Amino acid sequence: MQSMIQDRAVETGRVTVAADPYEFVFDRARCALLVIDMQRDFLEPGGFGAALGNDVSLLRSTIEPNRGLLQAWRQTGGLVIHTREGHRPDLADLPPAKKTRGRGAVTIGDAGPMGRILVRGEAGHDIIPELYPLPEEPVVDKPGKGAFFATDLHAILQNRGIAQLFVTGVTTEVCVHTTVREANDRGYDCCVLEDCVGSYFPEFQRIGLQMIRAQGGIFGWVSHSNTVLAALAGRQ
Ligand code: TIU
């Protein structure tokens, strides 16, 4: 018996999206939307992002573009995968160096207003309500910054025949970058959508995107969600 996703009508065919450093051509049936770590711990006060000393409001501009893109992508029947950074409640998968890094007063595993910081099963670890996964959408829990390290993401993508990814989420220069680099080395084409990724540091947002598209797209493409929406609707 086929899964719900495979039963859904998936639009097929090639789509061309204007991008930097040149157009991104994707095959609808072989392309997934990968949404990185849009968790309360990064986007809401009292979580991991705030514990690191960041102004979490800077990431919230990414929510509406992601919501619009998710809606359109789901309508095409395309695969959506969400990731969450976090650790086992017993912290057995938490490297000591990650626990102590930053020398913060509150670190991973400590109690916060949304539960224990960056721990699986806690309220803060979950994805923000605005972008909550549908029941059939895989959610990949990752202990590191990259979504391929110590996860089954590669197997999931291979099993679905996925070769290309639109990548969104937070933060641009940390988990998005690490994941795109990991994906690129595994042979995936990655197109990062600039309005759907966010950083606590405006200069890192700008430079982080620049680093992806430089040198002929050294590990990916950069585009905008409006451009993808137009292409999906045949308006490009
Ligand atoms: N601190 C920061 O910018 N990011 C992270 O720790 N994780 C992710 O990017 N998800």
Side-chain angles (χ1 to χ4, degrees), residues 81-227:
I81 298 180
H82 306 258
T83 70
R84 298 185 297 200
E85 180 179 350
H87 296 276
R88 295 161 48 107
D90 63 7
L91 305 184
D93 59 350
L94 176 61
K98 187 175 179 184
K99 168 73 177 168
T100 55
R101 178 151 308 147
R103 299 179 172 173
V106 178
T107 62
I108 297 169
D110 294 344
M114 294 189 289
R116 295 175 67 204
I117 303 276
L118 227 58
V119 170
R120 295 175 188 166
E122 302 288 339
H125 175 262
D126 212 352
I127 291 171
I128 57 170
E130 295 92 330
L131 303 178
Y132 210 75
L134 296 179
E136 68 270 27
E137 292 172 353
V139 178
V140 173
D141 280 324
K142 62 190 187 63
K145 304 305 181 190
F148 289 84
F149 170 68
T151 74
D152 46 15
L153 177 60
H154 188 53
I156 293 171
L157 296 172
Q158 295 290 295
N159 291 337
R160 301 291 176 97
I162 299 297
Q164 298 177 297
L165 300 168
F166 281 109
V167 184
T168 73
V170 296
T171 63
T172 306
E173 78 280 11
V174 183
C175 290
V176 171
H177 246 245
T178 307
T179 298
V180 168
R181 291 169 190 240
E182 287 181 329
N184 178 65
D185 283 350
R186 286 164 177 76
Y188 297 95
D189 289 337
C190 295
C191 183
V192 176
L193 302 178
E194 58 185 323
D195 55 323
C196 296
V197 295
S199 171
Y200 300 119
F201 304 89
E203 68 270 38
F204 292 171
Q205 172 77 359
R206 185 174 63 79
I207 296 295
L209 293 167
Q210 184 70 15
M211 288 167 74
I212 294 167
R213 63 183 160 225
Q215 305 186 67
I218 190 73
F219 47 81
W221 286 255
V222 175
S223 188
H224 191 283
S225 71
N226 287 341
T227 312

Side-chain angles (χ1 to χ4, degrees), residues 9-17 24-32 73 76-78 161-162 164 166 228 231-234:
V10 179
E11 293 181 25
T12 55
R14 281 155 66 93
V15 180
T16 300
V17 176
F24 182 70
V25 182
F26 71 94
D27 179 342
R28 287 177 187 260
R30 302 199 69 203
C31 187
W73 194 255
T76 71
I162 299 297
Q164 298 177 297
F166 281 109
V228 178
L232 288 174

Side-chain angles (χ1 to χ4, degrees), residues 35-115:
V35 185
I36 304 286
D37 299 359
M38 291 297 281
Q39 296 162 255
R40 298 182 66 195
D41 255 324
F42 293 106
L43 288 123
E44 295 186 10
F48 183 57
L52 295 174
N54 297 307
D55 173 2
V56 296
S57 69
L58 283 164
L59 300 189
R60 297 194 66 84
S61 64
T62 62
I63 297 174
E64 275 312 307
N66 268 290
R67 189 150 67 170
L69 183 71
L70 258 180
Q71 191 177 20
W73 194 255
R74 284 168 174 161
Q75 280 172 1
T76 71
L79 177 62
V80 179
I81 298 180
H82 306 258
T83 70
R84 298 185 297 200
E85 180 179 350
H87 296 276
R88 295 161 48 107
D90 63 7
L91 305 184
D93 59 350
L94 176 61
K98 187 175 179 184
K99 168 73 177 168
T100 55
R101 178 151 308 147
R103 299 179 172 173
V106 178
T107 62
I108 297 169
D110 294 344
M114 294 189 289

